[in-house]
Amino acid sequence: MKILPKLKKGELEIILLRNKKLPKNLNKVEKNLLGIRNYKGEGCCFIEESRKFFVGIESYNYPFPNAIRDALATAIGVIRKLQIKSASIQVESKKEAREVCEGILLGSYGFDTFKSKKNESFLKEIYLNSTQLEQVEIKKIIQESEILSNSVNQVRELINTPPRIATPKYIADFAKKVAKESEFECKVYDEKFLENEKMGAFLAVAKASTNKPYLVHLSYKPKIKGKKLLKIVLVGKGLTYDSGGLSLKPSDYMTTMKSDKSGACAVIGVLESVAKLGIPIEVHGILGLAENMIGGNAYKPDDILIARNQKSIEVRNTDAEGRLVLADCLSFASDLKPDFLIDIATLTGACVVALGDYSTGIMGYNEKLKEEFSNAVFEAGELSGILPFNPYLRKLFNSEVADLCNIPSTRYGSAISAGMFLSEFVEESLVQKWLHLDIAGPAYVEKSWGVNPFGASGAGVRSLVQFILNQVK
């Protein structure tokens, strides 16, 4: 399905009802039919006789970023099932045009790769019309929306791919393929490299798996003469499967653990979008790819690991493995001396308890930076909440036998204490430039919500791209 900047009327006319107000130019038949159906501008309503599809925008005046996107995602799910090949829609502003495009493109995704019967759609073209915007403006908005939405949908597909297929090597190869197509650099480092870099925490997590770990370094470096570019480094947690290790998860908690690679997958999507959009900022992505499995050689509670920055970590729970992989990846990323360092990870169930399924937890020591990122999240159409670091929580991951313990001494505030644990592996000069994003809630939800289908949402891609765009001077 394509969105086209054409001043053309489709077989179906999609009408946005802003503030739930019905158009004044309805004819008598349309008014009667809407009256019979008791339609007052909420949800969707299709008038077959005039081929008009009304889309109510809920909470349009409420400061909620996804009202238009969600409404279009719901509508497109219905329209795709009708035997209609084309539709048209009128937009009033650049912002509205962007949100309409993203609602349609993101709302059209569904994971049916392994189904014998695919999701059927008759709709081929949607024409975007406007009396307020020039055709060249509409065309640019469509192109940018397609780049971003395609990246998000590709990330969703990668996260949804089963762990039997999506091993660390599979993700590394996927990253190489995307890098080649999008024209940025990709270096893949194997177990030998991790040993040479003394990444003892990362290696311990991967030890029991037959699928070897990889560290992937993606780098997008646009060449602009006479200008020193801002450098942003993203670090993504890429646990392609997490059994919990010897601290084995209950079976019910294992069924969604293919999503524990969501942070790394999101970073791939961000680099792809940034490169295709040609944003004049240097962006790096560090992916820590591993499996956390069980076996005779698995790392154990009571082990003491030495991280890349030489800090010792007492292991009390092998299911707190993501922070161990990220610890070494953050140390590696710190060597790049970025202007901003951001990690993204499905890190803690505690963050889901704090913020619910749908919001990203934003943490760090720089209050202004956290607010700036929160604004970018809202602008991009995602949701977030800022969790405040608390100096009294720092002592919770003290250890009697090592520098740190990989779990806190109490479960209270454990999303925050996990973030504070990660800060121990960020170079001191970069701590005020660092953010930790916990996407354990929105990364994978077993029900559809708004523009997001059942399963992977691609959480973080839109927000990070928007934050990077906002840094362009």
Side-chain angles (χ1 to χ4, degrees):
M1 182 182 64
K2 295 288 292 181
I3 302 176
L4 300 169
K6 286 187 178 180
L7 290 170
K8 188 175 177 181
K9 197 170 183 179
E11 294 176 54
L12 180 76
E13 184 181 1
I14 302 171
I15 300 171
L16 296 178
L17 303 182
R18 302 161 185 88
N19 300 313
K20 300 178 184 177
K21 290 182 180 178
L22 291 168
K24 293 179 181 179
N25 61 348
L26 296 177
N27 60 41
K28 188 176 180 180
V29 173
E30 290 167 343
K31 287 178 182 177
N32 287 339
L33 288 171
L34 290 173
I36 290 169
R37 295 169 188 180
N38 196 30
Y39 183 68
K40 297 177 181 178
E42 295 182 357
C44 299
C45 186
F46 180 35
I47 302 297
E48 292 90 340
E49 287 79 359
S50 57
R51 294 290 181 101
K52 289 183 178 178
F53 194 96
F54 297 93
V55 180
I57 302 172
E58 296 182 23
S59 308
Y60 190 70
N61 287 324
Y62 183 76
F64 181 67
N66 269 343
I68 293 177
R69 292 180 181 92
D70 286 356
L72 263 297
T74 300
I76 211 69
V78 178
I79 294 169
R80 280 161 57 96
K81 295 176 184 177
L82 303 175
Q83 289 197 11
I84 289 170
K85 292 182 179 179
S86 67
S88 55
I89 185 168
Q90 190 84 14
V91 294
E92 295 183 350
S93 66
K94 289 182 181 181
K95 182 176 182 292
E96 188 171 273
R98 175 190 172 193
E99 292 174 359
V100 164
C101 288
E102 289 182 8
I104 291 168
L105 295 167
L106 294 173
S108 298
Y109 173 81
F111 184 59
D112 62 0
T113 305
F114 294 88
K115 286 188 172 184
S116 54
K117 187 177 181 181
K118 306 298 182 185
N119 298 324
E120 191 176 24
S121 175
F122 296 95
L123 190 61
K124 303 299 179 187
E125 295 179 342
I126 296 180
Y127 310 127
L128 203 61
N129 299 323
S130 179
T131 56
Q132 311 295 321
L133 303 173
E134 298 289 336
Q135 283 294 95
V136 66
E137 292 178 301
I138 295 176
K139 186 176 181 180
K140 186 173 185 289
I141 290 166
I142 291 171
Q143 288 174 340
E144 291 173 349
S145 298
E146 284 179 340
I147 287 169
L148 185 59
S149 298
N150 289 343
S151 289
V152 172
N153 288 339
Q154 187 168 244
V155 167
R156 289 169 167 177
E157 188 75 13
L158 187 59
I159 295 166
N160 283 326
T161 302
R164 180 180 64 83
I165 297 169
T167 61
K169 187 177 187 305
Y170 181 94
I171 305 298
D173 289 343
F174 184 89
K176 280 196 287 188
K177 176 175 172 286
V178 171
K180 185 177 180 181
E181 291 172 351
S182 306
E183 299 181 347
F184 60 86
E185 191 177 352
C186 176
K187 293 180 180 177
V188 177
Y189 299 111
D190 61 12
E191 199 170 17
K192 185 75 173 175
F193 177 86
L194 302 182
E195 290 169 359
N196 291 338
E197 286 288 316
K198 297 182 170 54
M199 294 184 170
F202 189 160
L203 284 164
V205 173
K207 196 175 177 184
S209 176
T210 56
N211 293 302
K212 299 302 180 184
Y214 293 91
L215 185 142
V216 176
H217 182 182
L218 308 173
S219 51
Y220 165 70
K221 301 177 184 178
K223 295 177 181 178
I224 301 175
K225 288 183 179 180
K227 187 176 179 181
K228 187 178 184 299
L229 298 180
L230 198 73
K231 185 191 290 184
I232 297 175
V233 177
L234 310 176
V235 177
K237 174 188 171 185
L239 267 294
T240 57
Y241 195 74
D242 176 22
S243 70
L246 292 180
S247 304
L248 196 65
K249 293 178 184 289
S251 58
D252 286 352
Y253 287 80
M254 284 194 207
T255 52
T256 60
M257 280 300 102
K258 65 180 179 180
S259 68
D260 217 17
K261 59 183 181 289
S262 296
C265 295
V267 171
I268 297 171
V270 172
L271 266 290
E272 179 185 41
S273 283
V274 167
K276 288 184 175 179
L277 290 169
I279 300 174
I281 288 178
E282 183 177 334
V283 183
H284 295 257
I286 306 299
L287 319 179
L289 306 174
E291 273 189 341
N292 186 25
M293 301 298 285
I294 59 173
N297 61 340
Y299 81 119
K300 309 168 184 67
D302 280 345
D303 275 347
I304 295 177
L305 312 175
I306 307 300
R308 183 178 183 272
N309 69 349
Q310 296 304 296
K311 289 190 178 181
S312 58
I313 306 168
E314 177 191 3
V315 177
R316 282 183 171 263
N317 189 318
T318 63
D319 196 22
E321 86 301 327
R323 65 199 67 183
L324 298 177
V325 172
L326 286 173
D328 281 338
C329 289
L330 282 166
S331 172
F332 181 85
S334 293
D335 288 354
L336 297 171
K337 307 296 180 188
D339 295 291
F340 295 106
L341 175 59
I342 304 173
D343 74 76
I344 178 168
T346 48
L347 203 67
T348 65
C351 195
V352 190
V353 173
L355 298 176
D357 280 329
Y358 312 109
S359 298
T360 294
I362 302 173
M363 287 166 257
Y365 289 102
N366 187 322
E367 298 301 321
K368 184 180 177 183
L369 183 57
K370 287 188 289 186
E371 287 291 345
E372 186 182 346
F373 193 85
S374 178
N375 291 337
V377 174
F378 186 87
E379 194 176 348
E382 295 190 302
L383 298 171
S384 67
I386 295 174
L387 297 178
F389 277 176
N390 182 330
Y392 297 106
L393 294 178
R394 168 60 185 81
K395 63 184 179 182
L396 297 181
F397 52 86
N398 283 344
S399 168
E400 293 294 328
V401 296
D403 297 326
L404 306 163
C405 183
N406 81 321
I407 58 168
S409 55
T410 174
R411 64 190 176 93
Y412 299 115
S414 55
I416 297 171
S417 60
M420 294 180 75
F421 174 91
L422 292 179
S423 73
E424 297 286 328
F425 303 91
V426 175
E427 188 179 295
E428 192 173 346
S429 65
L430 297 173
V431 167
Q432 289 296 318
K433 302 175 181 180
W434 164 74
L435 286 177
H436 163 55
L437 309 178
D438 192 331
I439 56 169
Y444 192 97
V445 178
E446 292 191 286
K447 53 183 176 287
S448 61
W449 50 288
V451 297
N452 302 295
F454 175 102
S457 68
V461 176
R462 288 187 286 157
S463 297
L464 284 163
V465 171
Q466 189 62 53
F467 176 79
I468 292 167
L469 278 168
N470 290 351
Q471 306 312 310
V472 178
K473 306 300 182 187

